[in-house]
Amino acid sequence: MTDARTHILAKLERVIDRKDAGSADADSRISLHIAGPIPRRGTDETKPEQTERFVREAMLAGADVHELISIEQVPVTVVAYLRAKNLPLNVRVSADGIFENVRWNQEPGLEIENGGVEATDTASLSAAASGVAETGTLVMASSPENPAMYGFVPLLHMVLLPESCIHGSYEDAWIALRQRQGNLAMPRMVNMITGPSRTADIEQTLLMGAHGPQNLMIMIVGGT
Amino acid sequence: MKQPDQVPQSPSVALFVTCLVDVMRPSIGFAAVSLLERAGCQVFVPETQTCCGQPGYNAGDEKSARGIAEQVIEALQGYDYVVVPSGSCAGMIIKHYPDLFADDAAWRARAEDLSVRSWELTSFLVDVMKFRPVGITFDKVISYHDSCSGLRELGIKDQPRSLLAGVDGTKIEESDLAESCCGFGGLFCVKYPDISTAMVDRKIAEVSDGGADVILGGDLGCLMNIAGRLSRQGKSTNVWHVAEVVAGMADQSASICGSHDAQTSAVSAVGKRP
Amino acid sequence: MKSSARHFPANAREALADERLQGVLDKFSDGFPVKRANAIARLDEFDELRDAARDIKDHVLANLDTYLKRFESRVHESGGHVHWCRDDQEARTTILSICRAANARTVTKSKSMIGEEIAINDYLADHDIEPVETDLGEYIIQLRQEPPSHIIAPAIHLSKEQVAETFVEKHTGRDPDRTLTDPRVMLDEARAELRQKFLNADVGLTGANMLVAETGSIAIVTNEGNADLTMGLPRVHIALASIEKIVPTLEDASTILRVLARSATGQEMSVYTTFATGPKRTDDLDGPEEFHVLLLDNGRSDLLGTEFQDILRCIRCGSCINHCPVYSTVGGHAYGWVYPGPMGSVLTPALVGIEDAHHLPNASTLCGKCETVCPMHIPLPRMLRSWRVRQVEKNLQSASSRYGLGLWSYLARHPRLYRVLSNCVARALNIMGGHRGKLSRLPLAGGWMSKRDLPAPQGGTFMAQWKNSRSRYL
Ligand code: SF4
């Protein structure tokens, strides 16, 4: 079946109306990562303004956002949120280093488990690679510590986002991601998440929690 | 959108009357002449004009459209401006004639020359001649229908409204559907009458809900469609071309599809003026 | 999917007579356009982004072979497989053989218009593999065995009562007498049913909104998160993409994302935009063991270099459909194939043949709304007209319209004859109209007269009156 490949490529070769320099052009475009127009709202703001915008946009998209002073506040915030949503105090927590020093036992009754997500999990907590202020979008990069399915299987997805990882635009988030990955390839899954799962497929009625989480809770931790 | 160049003193203007106005509603042509003269133009009506060729063009018959276009280009050469009381025919001349001659440099140059000189009536009056009507009264609540080609090909939206703003007594009740297609579409309404009717019905219902007495527009095709449907439904909303109203001639000819009882001939109406 | 595009007029009549559908369509035409307008009002740079998005796709189309090869080698580097398919048949057999190799019994699917194009569900079912649509809208219409009526809202033609009936009938494990009126309850029911399917599926089949040449990633955009569960839970992930879906870089993808959701649903961003690159890595706790990408041509390369090339810029946002006055009158099924509305009327004739789809390019008033709302600046009306030109070249127009237009064009080029005849017609019709000022019946004018009156001409033609009055007038 290799001839399908040969056939299609030969045909393209024949019919393409080459206006630019061909492959050299394509290669340089890829290596230069030239950005298109970036909305001013993504470039012209100071760090605090970016955080503010991130919070505003994420909430517009239906996420719940909590701003924490330190990572120590995570357990109490999580428990309060679970209680408010009437969910059991069980959380699947990612093995990301950022959670290493969190003292979960501060909160009696809170059950924490690491490892792969299971069908019965009701809530998960993972760490974001970036937050994009432009649209209140989280960028989650999958890894053995932060499995992608944390963001999709449970009814509630909670995300820890260090304030230092908030960027103005998608482009800035890509720059940060490339730096982080170094020579490694793209993470297997990069999930840009803007608000909780939803559908309007039944007579255009907007409903949250279609297949993914019904609630998306973001904790922004300052000073990290 | 077109930008006018330096406008000559009392420019010569060829009126391209359009086939529909010619046959169905000459009063629009006379209203256009009257307005152009009041705006300070010398008006000519080239004798060899017929149709702009749009029916064939939109049906995919480019060969015959080119034939007709050549004839129109010939007929309209030598005037400072060509003015058309229809957005879609003006769009045909301004936007599509040059495309028709993509492979023919000589004709293309002539088509482009014509394109630059050609204007839709309301935009010519407002944008080029800076015309404002004086002493005209029309005591009605108006719903204005923005015809598709005029609106989207030529950017005509404010011009008819600004002319109407100069007419005493007018009140424009903007419809949410002002910019949506009335379902005319030339041959479309003949080939797909059911769909076309559903489209015009939606428009009519929206206008009725808004409480307008009359519907005005700048394209006779759309206006015939809307008026024809209103009439079949037994509705009393009147329909005129905007030029008839702005020229103060709406009461001299029955509204489109309206009864002719009250009509005095459009010619004598023009003839009465000094 | 088999095309019934040739029955467009009958399909449309049926749709117009369907009061329930008309009710749904009324609601539909107020929804998306308003949301889109609001989203765009919030973004000053929208027009700049549209231009940039268009330029990206034009650049890609001018270098498509190069980018496809770059993409392919990146997929290989990340441990994935690429399958090139010339047509629907090749795509179907490729998918089937991957499924067979995986011993698959169920395949979960996230919405893919290409999946509809190649009718993969029927094919898999015929080969004893159960395909399960997971996008809620697609799931509903799969239960009803109906085709989608919109590319981003496949069940937009259904009322919630119809959805409820379908669930009561098909979700057999539940109380048949339960009341199902609240959409929330219906959604929860579907969620529960589908969750089990997600967990049991052997293969996940998704589409792809973009293919990123830089990274070898496929990008998928959804609001429900179903695509992520589809590709994340089963052992094998197959992504189905047509060759024009390439973008060079993540930056280019970002530009397109900025116009995509805003144009489609009026969201700033869809909820989930996922870039998936290769299979599960060592130590990953989830993800598929196999990652396959199908690169399907199926007629795309035939459009390159033709007057229809620009439709290959389409990002399937649905904006042209949401704003189309014909679509909002007849709905999506009338178009008879996968892609409805303006983009469909351009694409369908190319993919199923203009002979079969001859109505579609004609069933438009060329009102131009679609082009003004297309984020990729695709000149849809121009291309609808280009199809009409092809029809004339192939002699596919009806005899009556050919004859009528031929006569008209002859007259239009003979002004003297035209003058005399038009004046006669105007006078005759004027007399026939009498005092009523209108005509309600006329031979050969059934199309118009069946639903409308025709204004009677006012008397002689303008040209004749002008000639008579000129001496007095000059
Ligand atoms: S043609 Fe344009 S508006 Fe229509 S679906 Fe494609 S990109 Fe969207």
Side-chain angles (χ1 to χ4, degrees):
Chain A
M1 289 296 269
T2 54
D3 28 357
R5 180 182 191 276
T6 320
H7 177 97
I8 293 172
L9 287 173
K11 174 131 183 236
L12 293 178
E13 184 98 358
R14 216 167 48 240
V15 294
I16 283 174
D17 172 16
R18 273 179 222 282
K19 292 196 194 77
D20 23 26
S23 63
D25 208 60
D27 283 339
S28 76
R29 188 181 182 106
I30 287 182
S31 52
L32 293 175
H33 303 304
I34 300 163
I38 301 177
R40 270 180 300 282
R41 64 155 101 149
T43 53
D44 283 4
E45 297 186 328
T46 62
K47 277 278 168 191
E49 284 168 345
Q50 282 177 356
T51 302
E52 218 177 286
R53 179 178 290 281
F54 177 88
V55 173
R56 204 165 54 238
E57 294 291 333
M59 287 173 65
L60 270 178
D64 295 319
V65 185
H66 298 266
E67 293 183 75
L68 313 188
I69 297 164
S70 89
I71 195 127
E72 279 158 37
Q73 291 173 293
V74 168
V76 54
T77 314
V78 165
V79 167
Y81 193 83
L82 289 171
R83 291 224 162 94
K85 294 290 166 197
N86 246 329
L87 286 169
L89 300 185
N90 298 61
V91 183
R92 176 76 58 183
V93 178
S94 105
D96 196 290
I98 201 163
F99 299 113
E100 209 169 39
N101 298 319
V102 176
R103 278 179 290 147
W104 297 108
N105 52 13
Q106 272 176 355
E107 289 297 323
L110 182 59
E111 300 274 342
I112 295 303
E113 251 186 299
N114 291 129
V117 79
E118 280 174 23
T120 47
D121 291 350
T122 46
S124 64
L125 170 62
S126 51
S130 289
V132 181
E134 197 183 331
T135 47
T137 299
L138 293 166
V139 179
M140 313 293 297
S142 82
S143 64
E145 294 75 36
N146 285 297
M149 284 302 112
Y150 271 51
F152 297 93
V153 173
L155 256 188
L156 164 64
H157 184 207
M158 295 178 284
V159 178
L160 189 85
L161 172 66
E163 193 177 349
S164 57
C165 295
I166 294 181
H167 301 104
S169 63
Y170 313 131
E171 284 77 356
D172 285 344
W174 297 133
I175 291 171
L177 186 73
R178 287 190 189 108
Q179 268 168 9
R180 193 183 134 123
Q181 292 295 109
N183 286 332
L184 301 174
M186 184 85 168
R188 187 179 64 78
M189 295 277 263
V190 174
N191 298 109
M192 300 170 88
I193 301 182
T194 314
S197 160
R198 71 199 60 190
T199 181
D201 276 344
I202 303 177
E203 245 189 41
Q204 296 192 70
T205 314
L206 182 65
L207 300 167
M208 298 297 168
H211 287 297
Q214 192 163 344
N215 291 290
L216 174 68
M217 193 272 261
I218 304 170
M219 290 173 281
I220 300 176
V221 186
T224 11
Chain B
M1 227 178 299
K2 282 170 86 160
Q3 292 303 323
D5 292 338
Q6 193 70 39
V7 182
Q9 195 72 36
S10 94
S12 63
V13 169
L15 179 72
F16 184 79
V17 75
T18 79
C19 58
L20 272 185
V21 168
D22 182 36
V23 172
M24 304 302 291
R25 203 162 169 86
S27 56
I28 297 170
F30 287 104
V33 171
S34 165
L35 286 166
L36 289 166
E37 289 184 341
R38 277 185 252 173
C41 307
Q42 266 182 283
V43 182
F44 299 87
V45 179
E47 246 197 303
T48 51
Q49 61 175 294
T50 54
C51 161
C52 68
Q54 216 182 149
Y57 181 67
N58 282 344
D61 188 353
E62 294 203 329
K63 192 157 145 270
S64 82
R66 260 194 298 276
I68 296 175
E70 287 173 7
Q71 128 107 21
V72 173
I73 292 169
E74 296 272 2
L76 298 177
Q77 63 189 356
Y79 303 94
D80 292 330
Y81 297 104
V82 171
V83 171
V84 189
S86 151
S88 71
C89 306
M92 179 71 198
I93 294 174
I94 296 168
K95 296 283 171 189
H96 301 298
Y97 275 17
D99 290 346
L100 268 176
F101 298 104
D103 303 328
D104 183 338
W107 272 108
R108 183 173 174 108
R110 295 184 69 180
E112 267 165 6
D113 163 66
L114 174 61
S115 162
V116 172
R117 288 183 294 120
S118 299
W119 293 82
E120 181 275 342
L121 175 66
T122 62
S123 92
F124 181 74
L125 289 170
V126 173
D127 301 337
V128 181
M129 300 309 292
K130 319 285 178 215
F131 173 76
R132 265 186 88 80
V134 236
I136 311 285
T137 305
F138 189 71
D139 249 322
K140 293 277 189 317
V141 181
I142 296 166
S143 182
Y144 198 85
H145 168 61
D146 297 296
S147 287
C148 300
S149 317
L151 175 70
R152 284 181 271 268
E153 290 183 340
L154 306 175
I156 291 160
K157 175 84 189 175
D158 297 337
Q159 297 92 330
R161 288 172 175 76
S162 100
L163 290 172
L164 288 167
V167 174
D168 298 330
T170 53
K171 176 173 181 297
I172 297 193
E173 182 64 52
E174 290 291 353
S175 153
D176 285 349
L177 296 185
E179 294 188 2
S180 37
C181 180
C182 72
F184 174 61
L187 289 176
F188 173 85
C189 72
V190 180
K191 283 192 186 161
Y192 305 98
D194 304 320
I195 303 174
S196 170
T197 305
M199 287 163 74
V200 73
D201 280 354
R202 199 184 303 164
K203 180 133 208 147
I204 288 173
E206 183 79 17
V207 171
S208 305
D209 290 351
D213 314 316
V214 301
I215 299 177
L216 302 184
D219 259 87
L220 183 54
C222 312
L223 296 176
M224 282 168 55
N225 180 41
I226 296 169
R229 184 62 187 164
L230 280 164
S231 162
R232 181 64 60 91
Q233 290 180 333
K235 293 221 168 99
S236 62
T237 315
N238 283 323
V239 181
W240 278 281
H241 189 283
V242 62
E244 297 177 280
V245 168
V246 177
M249 292 156 77
D251 55 351
Q252 290 159 18
S253 41
S255 68
I256 302 172
C257 273
S259 149
H260 281 213
D261 286 345
Q263 181 189 1
T264 38
S265 122
V267 184
S268 63
V270 173
K272 257 190 273 166
R273 291 190 320 98
Chain C
M1 182 176 158
K2 207 169 138 38
S3 158
S4 73
R6 67 167 67 238
H7 305 302
F8 177 82
N11 298 347
R13 254 194 307 280
E14 207 175 295
L16 285 166
D18 182 342
E19 270 175 41
R20 197 203 35 73
L21 175 66
Q22 290 301 316
V24 181
L25 288 172
D26 270 352
K27 191 166 165 191
F28 162 79
S29 45
D30 297 337
F32 289 136
V34 176
K35 296 198 183 96
R36 170 189 176 272
N38 293 341
I40 285 165
R42 281 195 73 202
L43 191 72
D44 296 341
E45 295 86 354
F46 189 74
D47 278 332
E48 232 181 297
L49 285 160
R50 282 173 77 182
D51 294 349
R54 171 198 56 208
D55 295 346
I56 289 168
K57 279 310 229 5
D58 279 345
H59 166 79
V60 165
L61 293 175
N63 297 282
L64 190 54
D65 46 355
T66 313
Y67 281 121
L68 283 167
K69 284 187 266 182
R70 282 295 293 257
F71 173 79
E72 179 187 40
S73 49
R74 289 285 170 279
V75 174
H76 287 159
E77 282 164 26
S78 64
H81 305 274
V82 175
H83 309 264
W84 301 70
C85 304
R86 275 170 287 209
D87 54 23
D88 52 342
Q89 182 55 40
E90 278 185 2
R92 283 189 295 265
T93 48
T94 307
I95 292 170
L96 181 64
S97 62
I98 299 170
C99 291
R100 287 253 161 93
N103 278 324
R105 277 183 326 208
T106 31
V107 172
T108 40
K109 263 194 74 199
S110 73
K111 188 163 75 67
S112 154
M113 297 321 290
I114 305 212
E116 301 289 337
E117 201 178 307
I118 66 169
I120 189 63
N121 286 2
D122 291 346
Y123 187 78
L124 289 176
D126 287 347
H127 291 82
D128 297 322
I129 295 171
E130 184 198 2
V132 182
E133 292 287 355
T134 61
D135 170 87
L136 181 63
E138 285 281 348
Y139 172 68
I140 295 167
I141 60 169
Q142 188 189 25
L143 292 180
R144 296 172 62 89
Q145 299 182 305
E146 283 175 7
S149 64
H150 191 295
I151 60 173
I152 65 161
I156 195 84
H157 59 285
L158 295 173
S159 65
K160 66 172 197 279
E161 290 76 22
Q162 287 172 297
V163 176
E165 278 163 31
T166 306
F167 283 3
V168 169
E169 186 193 329
K170 303 284 178 175
H171 292 165
T172 44
R174 293 160 190 267
D175 173 12
D177 297 324
R178 67 193 181 283
T179 41
L180 215 46
T181 48
D182 179 359
R184 173 84 249 169
V185 179
M186 298 183 210
L187 170 62
D188 290 342
E189 191 173 306
R191 182 183 163 114
E193 295 276 336
L194 281 166
R195 188 46 74 94
Q196 218 40 54
K197 304 277 185 189
F198 277 126
L199 295 167
N200 296 342
D202 308 295
V203 172
L205 181 58
T206 68
N209 293 75
M210 292 183 270
L211 306 171
V212 186
E214 172 193 358
T215 56
S217 314
I218 60 153
I220 305 191
V221 178
T222 72
N223 273 322
E224 300 184 3
N226 62 312
D228 296 275
L229 292 167
T230 300
M231 66 179 126
L233 295 176
R235 221 174 48 68
V236 177
H237 173 202
I238 306 173
L240 189 49
S242 50
I243 53 176
E244 83 283 10
K245 292 272 150 69
I246 287 269
V247 295
T249 61
L250 293 169
E251 279 72 9
D252 294 322
S254 306
T255 298
I256 289 177
L257 287 172
R258 286 194 180 99
V259 297
L260 175 59
R262 290 182 172 97
S263 301
T265 55
Q267 287 166 281
E268 305 274 310
M269 259 302 247
S270 298
V271 177
Y272 301 109
T273 299
T274 295
F275 294 86
T277 314
K280 180 174 182 171
R281 310 231 169 116
T282 332
D283 302 331
D284 269 356
L285 298 180
D286 54 31
E289 280 154 35
E290 292 174 31
F291 177 81
H292 300 267
V293 184
L294 261 68
L295 294 176
L296 175 66
D297 181 350
N298 210 27
R300 270 69 177 176
S301 59
D302 293 335
L303 299 178
L304 278 170
T306 72
E307 65 270 46
F308 302 108
Q309 169 163 326
D310 292 344
I311 194 66
L312 297 176
R313 290 202 299 263
C314 175
I315 54 173
R316 307 286 189 268
C317 71
S319 182
C320 57
I321 303 172
N322 299 343
H323 290 81
C324 176
V326 174
Y327 177 93
S328 72
T329 310
V330 300
H333 287 159
Y335 293 80
W337 201 57
V338 179
Y339 303 103
M343 57 79 71
S345 297
V346 171
L347 203 55
T348 306
L351 301 184
V352 308
I354 184 64
E355 288 78 3
D356 189 59
H358 69 278
H359 278 293
L360 303 187
N362 291 294
S364 161
T365 61
L366 303 181
C367 80
K369 184 74 191 176
C370 49
E371 183 173 359
T372 67
V373 298
C374 171
M376 305 304 285
H377 286 300
I378 298 174
L380 295 154
R382 197 216 5 95
M383 288 189 284
L384 293 172
R385 201 183 281 113
S386 295
W387 276 121
R388 299 178 188 184
V389 172
R390 292 255 180 129
Q391 287 175 319
V392 168
E393 283 164 8
K394 291 188 168 190
N395 249 323
L396 292 171
Q397 300 284 43
S398 75
S400 61
S401 87
R402 223 178 319 153
Y403 180 73
L405 283 167
L407 180 66
W408 180 253
S409 107
Y410 178 84
L411 288 173
R413 276 174 293 169
H414 295 83
R416 249 172 234 269
L417 180 60
Y418 177 93
R419 234 19 9 108
V420 174
L421 278 177
S422 57
N423 198 31
C424 289
V425 170
R427 286 185 171 281
L429 292 178
N430 169 262
I431 291 165
M432 287 168 67
H435 284 276
R436 292 176 65 232
K438 62 190 173 199
L439 300 147
S440 303
R441 225 171 309 154
L442 205 61
L444 301 177
W448 179 282
M449 294 292 204
S450 62
K451 299 285 171 65
R452 295 169 191 73
D453 292 337
L454 182 71
Q458 293 170 317
T461 59
F462 174 85
M463 297 302 280
Q465 295 189 43
W466 174 260
K467 207 166 176 178
N468 289 338
S469 68
R470 190 172 51 174
S471 49
R472 196 157 33 120
Y473 191 63
L474 279 177

